[in-house]
Amino acid sequence: MEGVSSLDEPLKKLLGGATAKVMAEHLDLHTVGDLLHHYPRRYEERGKLTALTDLPLDEHVTVVAQVADARILTFNNGRGKRLEVTLTDGSGRLQLVFFGHGVHKPHKELLPGRQAMFAGKVSVFNRKMQLAHPTYQLLDASDADEASEAVDAFAGRLLPIYPACKQLDSWRIAKAVDAVLPSARDAVDPLPASLREGRGFTPLPEALLKVHRPQTRADIEDAKARLKWDEAFVLQVALARRRYADTQLPAAARRRVPDGLLDAFDAKLPFTLTEGQEKVSKEIFDDLATEHPMHRLLQGEVGSGKTMVALRAMLAVVDAGGQAAMLAPTEVLAQQHHRSITEMMGELAEGGMLGGSDRGTKVVLLTGSMGAAARRQALLDLVTGEAGIVIGTHALIEDKVRFHDLGLVVVDEQHRFGVEQRDALRSKGKQPPHLLVMTATPIPRTVAMTVFGDLETSVLDQLPAGRSPIASHVVPATDKPHFLARAWERVAEEVENGHQAYVVCPRIGDDAEEAEGRGGKKAKAKKAAPEEDGEKRPPLAVLEIADQLRGGALSGLSVEVLHGRMHPDEKDDVMRRFAAGDVDVLVATTVIEVGVNVPNATAMVIMDADRFGVSQLHQLRGRVGRGSAPGLCLLVSEAHEASPARARLSAVAATLDGFELSRIDLEQRREGDVLGQAQSGVRSSLRMLTVIDDEEVIAAAREEAVAIVAADPELERLPELRTVLAALLDKEREEYLDKG
């Protein structure tokens, strides 16, 4: 990088320590450049008021509205005071409430007819939307200096409304942006001049000025078009460079050998493969036969037969003299894959053992919690090549693990597995091994292009014959408590009919801080910020719910628990007994989210369902209806009927199509989570681009990026683009690209 540009200056130099600290801690903004790329969420026109009817519940909002009415009420026999202010904007009304000593200033200032900006968190009280103790800034003429300053700043202008937080209102952020805006002229423009002119884009410094301080709506559109393109383009160049680097790597070709393990395995399959499985297998076998490493993403709905496709690829590699490793995100899943693969292979998985097939190989399991002797034997089988297939958790990546000749790595559930870990495993081969990544989370095409842009994609979209439909319903526990009682009756009925059920909870429960999966991270975050979430109880816990059910609604049934902190043998024992039908109801955390296969389990009740993401709910639901009896999934929630959380649950209940759900999920969550660090190794740099709406932009940017990288892989003729890329990519990723 050429010197330190003014965009790299820390914010505390320009804004003072307190503001900079809040920006760093709550908005993840550290430098002048970060703040310049913190774009307004929307713009209000002065005199044109926000629709108060559209306010989202539980979110921090900024509204511009007029005071209709303000009155002080007393309570506690006159000892307590409360100021209630009603706002109006022509479309609806909103209640503000101030308590205690906080009522005097607003009572003097918020007079009927006054117009102001208000910021706060939307809650519901007595079935009415309200903001409690909002901060506000007057917008109409008055004697107060601040008010007239605000009017001057905003008169006749579009008012930018910034993504804000409780500690820092939108208008304070606007003030901070004013302080750093002059630095926009130093912004490094990553676009090659020919591309910028060819597409008629506004120069970058001008786009930054227009997005923060637009004079007209056209300014906003100009700025957005340019900033969206930059985000898509820089990311696609990074991915194109990675793909290019991969094509330069050597790999051992693993061509299919006739009359080996694979043919023996196919001959004993009790069913025929679906057309989709045949097609995807062919794509994989073709890739394995080339002298560059395969990098393929295999997407398939829960139960579409991905494991079968992966196993056949592993057998083909073993036939060709290599070894194959399958990586699972949890020990429970690794054990389960090991069990189902050895069962599917039968005597072919007993190479070198009595009664094993002479064409067989050893299939070993390697996890962090294995006993020392079993672990030593597994490591020995790998280094001598005795074991053709190994299945394990991240323990496979440890330095101690050595392979005889690693030819293929299969990664299950990519969204829990980052680029760095893929690279660590890759370094285990004499040459980079081929890579097959599997996910049961359907990913829309644009997201696949953005998050998995360095992988070729195969999709399995047919379900094997004999899978049953799943009925899903939302159970509103607060509005209609009798619905929850009915839910437990339904579970008991399923058990009476000879079936089994799951109950899923977000937390384990023997320790308030503990949690699992994504639901868990949320649980921890909630504890950290009680003041933001005063009225919300902690998420429901496995151990508590199991006790309640044993002593109440499901007494008399066999109820067991399963969670990630149990000893692996204990977990295995519970899973075995559940699979054998000895346990009626399994109360679990999301450890059962992926891969658990018990065809006799037909019902699932998900407690606090609003605390899970859409794709996670879809994954969990895929655990029932795996046999010939229809499945039932009940989503229990205390979320308010009008809340985004309830809308999300209704969407999950309304469709079983994973691709449709992943679209809905994206629209609701935005991309921050989807392009999280864990997935792509790129800081979530999308601020303007929405992966779901900007498909054309992404596709066009990808084409330009591929052409530029093909012509100049090192970007020697484009130093500005290199500078911007270096800022975008985190260090490991950058090193990886440089290796290529």
Side-chain angles (χ1 to χ4, degrees):
M1 283 218 167
E2 305 88 70
V4 172
S5 108
S6 63
L7 269 69
D8 297 326
E9 291 277 358
L11 282 170
K12 59 173 175 283
K13 269 194 173 174
L14 278 88
L15 303 179
T19 307
K21 188 169 184 241
V22 171
M23 287 195 165
E25 283 175 12
H26 296 278
L27 297 168
D28 197 22
L29 305 174
H30 306 273
T31 64
V32 168
D34 290 346
L35 182 53
L36 284 174
H37 289 292
H38 185 71
Y39 307 131
R41 177 174 281 157
R42 56 188 168 82
Y43 304 84
E44 292 294 351
E45 289 177 42
R46 266 191 52 62
K48 198 171 176 187
L49 304 184
T50 332
L52 294 180
T53 44
D54 299 341
L55 293 182
L57 204 67
D58 274 348
E59 278 192 29
H60 210 84
V61 297
T62 303
V63 295
V64 179
Q66 200 161 20
V67 178
D69 171 53
R71 56 172 179 261
I72 285 193
L73 305 172
T74 55
F75 54 95
N76 261 359
N77 295 330
R79 285 198 299 278
K81 278 187 176 175
R82 178 168 89 237
L83 171 65
E84 286 189 359
V85 179
T86 307
L87 302 182
T88 175
D89 70 346
S91 77
R93 292 170 101 75
L94 177 67
Q95 192 96 35
L96 310 181
V97 57
F98 300 87
F99 294 100
H101 300 304
V103 305
H104 305 304
K105 187 167 181 258
H107 189 226
K108 285 210 296 269
E109 295 182 338
L110 298 177
L111 305 171
R114 272 281 168 83
Q115 196 187 2
M117 274 194 286
F118 301 89
K121 192 170 180 184
V122 184
S123 56
V124 168
F125 182 72
N126 278 345
R127 297 200 166 294
K128 278 190 191 147
M129 296 273 208
Q130 73 164 26
L131 300 182
H133 277 286
T135 50
Y136 61 89
Q137 185 176 21
L138 298 170
L139 287 180
D140 45 12
S142 85
D143 302 336
D145 292 346
E146 196 165 313
S148 60
E149 202 180 295
V151 177
D152 294 343
F154 297 119
R157 280 249 193 106
L158 289 158
L159 239 66
I161 307 288
Y162 287 91
C165 60
K166 185 177 176 179
Q167 296 76 5
L168 204 60
D169 311 317
S170 170
W171 52 88
R172 293 217 181 92
I173 295 172
K175 248 187 172 140
V177 169
D178 283 334
V180 301
L181 215 46
S183 301
R185 60 174 178 269
D186 298 337
V188 176
D189 198 324
L191 295 194
S194 57
L195 195 159
R196 192 179 69 230
E197 287 149 21
R199 290 185 175 265
F201 286 130
T202 306
L204 183 58
E206 194 183 318
L208 290 169
L209 286 172
K210 282 180 167 178
V211 80
H212 288 293
R213 298 293 173 262
Q215 301 294 325
T216 62
R217 291 270 167 197
D219 281 355
I220 299 171
E221 291 317 308
D222 269 5
K224 279 187 169 176
R226 168 66 215 252
L227 296 168
K228 271 182 185 181
W229 178 271
D230 278 18
E231 286 172 11
F233 176 71
V234 172
L235 192 55
Q236 291 302 336
V237 169
L239 292 165
R241 285 191 72 189
R242 185 171 170 115
R243 281 195 305 276
Y244 178 84
D246 285 343
T247 62
Q248 303 308 298
L249 295 171
R254 311 282 177 176
R255 295 185 182 83
R256 206 174 154 174
V257 176
D259 298 328
L261 258 174
L262 179 58
D263 285 351
F265 176 76
D266 283 351
K268 61 194 270 301
L269 274 182
F271 51 82
T272 54
L273 297 173
T274 65
E275 242 174 272
Q277 285 174 317
E278 290 280 13
K279 181 177 134 280
V280 170
S281 290
K282 184 181 177 331
E283 291 171 348
I284 292 171
F285 292 141
D286 289 350
D287 281 0
L288 289 173
T290 64
E291 291 180 358
H292 295 297
M294 161 172 86
H295 289 111
R296 191 166 280 283
L297 173 70
L298 173 55
Q299 289 193 59
E301 277 284 11
V302 177
S304 57
K306 294 185 299 296
T307 311
M308 173 61 71
V309 169
L311 176 55
R312 293 181 73 242
M314 297 197 309
L315 295 173
V317 167
V318 174
D319 279 341
Q323 290 168 294
M326 184 182 222
L327 219 61
T330 64
E331 292 210 353
V332 170
L333 198 54
Q335 287 160 350
Q336 197 166 315
H337 275 316
H338 181 252
R339 208 162 39 235
S340 63
I341 283 175
T342 46
E343 279 166 15
M344 282 198 271
M345 286 176 64
E347 76 281 2
L348 296 174
E350 296 163 3
M353 292 189 241
L354 272 175
S357 158
D358 52 353
R359 277 186 294 194
T361 186
K362 250 189 185 178
V363 179
V364 300
L365 176 69
L366 189 64
T367 61
S369 65
M370 281 166 74
R375 189 177 167 79
R376 245 196 325 274
Q377 185 58 53
L379 290 170
L380 188 67
D381 287 341
L382 285 180
V383 78
T384 58
E386 194 75 5
I389 294 177
V390 58
I391 294 152
T393 53
H394 295 60
L396 278 178
I397 303 175
E398 286 175 16
D399 290 345
K400 296 189 277 292
V401 182
R402 294 271 171 271
F403 290 87
H404 176 63
D405 180 11
L406 181 60
L408 169 67
V409 176
V410 178
V411 178
D412 191 20
E413 288 308 320
Q414 159 70 13
H415 62 274
R416 296 158 175 258
F417 200 77
V419 163
E420 293 76 23
Q421 290 147 317
R422 278 181 5 204
D423 294 342
L425 193 62
R426 203 178 258 175
S427 63
K428 299 275 182 199
K430 294 175 182 165
Q431 292 185 311
H434 297 282
L435 177 70
L436 179 65
V437 170
M438 304 197 294
T439 175
T441 310
I443 304 163
R445 181 173 154 256
T446 39
V447 181
M449 263 174 15
T450 309
V451 181
F452 301 113
D454 53 339
L455 303 172
E456 299 295 326
T457 306
S458 297
V459 179
L460 275 177
D461 45 14
Q462 294 164 290
L463 285 190
R467 293 299 298 268
S468 308
I470 305 169
S472 308
H473 304 283
V474 179
V475 178
T478 16
D479 314 355
K480 300 178 176 154
H482 59 285
F483 275 37
L484 183 56
R486 177 72 191 117
W488 300 126
E489 283 170 19
R490 282 291 288 114
V491 169
E493 286 163 18
E494 288 296 313
V495 174
E496 252 165 59
N497 293 333
H499 297 300
Q500 291 157 280
Y502 298 100
V503 177
V504 181
C505 304
R507 220 175 85 235
I508 299 174
D510 50 356
D511 164 5
E513 279 297 305
E514 193 53 55
E516 274 188 42
R518 262 175 307 191
K521 284 194 195 124
K522 247 186 198 163
K524 282 186 179 164
K526 288 223 154 35
K527 284 204 81 65
E531 74 285 352
E532 284 205 47
D533 224 40
E535 73 292 357
K536 241 184 184 166
R537 57 165 176 72
L540 292 171
V542 167
L543 302 175
E544 291 150 24
I545 293 289
D547 285 346
Q548 284 171 25
L549 292 175
R550 285 184 191 120
L554 302 181
S555 60
L557 301 186
S558 149
V559 176
E560 292 272 3
V561 300
L562 180 72
H563 56 76
R565 275 203 325 246
M566 287 161 60
H567 188 276
D569 294 347
E570 211 184 333
K571 278 192 279 202
D572 220 29
D573 176 55
V574 171
M575 267 323 295
R576 271 179 205 282
R577 287 188 294 121
F578 187 63
D582 302 339
V583 173
D584 298 322
V585 179
L586 187 62
V587 185
T589 54
T590 51
V591 289
I592 62 151
E593 178 185 349
V594 276
V596 174
N597 185 18
V598 179
N600 190 44
T602 52
M604 175 177 286
V605 180
I606 302 179
M607 307 304 292
D608 275 343
D610 46 283
R611 313 243 181 170
F612 298 98
V614 169
S615 63
Q616 205 173 18
L617 290 169
H618 180 59
Q619 287 279 359
L620 287 166
R621 170 172 64 182
R623 302 294 119 221
V624 296
R626 299 177 79 89
S628 51
L632 171 69
C633 179
L634 302 173
L635 307 167
V636 179
S637 165
E638 290 184 5
H640 185 270
E641 203 168 348
S643 65
R646 270 287 278 283
R648 212 167 56 227
L649 295 181
S650 304
V652 173
T655 177
L656 290 171
D657 178 342
F659 283 94
E660 175 56 27
L661 282 176
S662 64
R663 256 196 107 78
I664 292 167
D665 191 17
L666 257 184
E667 281 165 2
Q668 294 198 339
R669 282 195 303 163
R670 311 298 289 173
E671 285 67 34
D673 306 354
V674 183
L675 306 179
Q677 187 120 17
Q679 290 196 333
S680 53
V682 172
R683 289 198 214 114
S684 181
S685 55
L686 301 198
R687 316 229 163 144
M688 185 62 85
L689 196 71
T690 55
V691 170
I692 211 79
D693 304 325
D694 296 319
E695 192 160 336
E696 293 85 59
V697 177
I698 293 170
R702 181 176 171 127
E703 257 172 63
E704 294 274 11
V706 169
I708 281 172
V709 171
D712 180 7
E714 290 304 310
L715 306 178
E716 282 162 5
R717 298 190 287 283
L718 300 168
E720 294 82 6
L721 179 54
R722 281 185 73 145
T723 300
V724 172
L725 264 180
L728 171 78
L729 302 182
D730 51 13
K731 283 288 161 267
E732 296 93 322
R733 175 92 183 216
E734 205 175 336
E735 279 162 26
Y736 178 83
L737 285 174
D738 292 345
K739 276 184 217 156

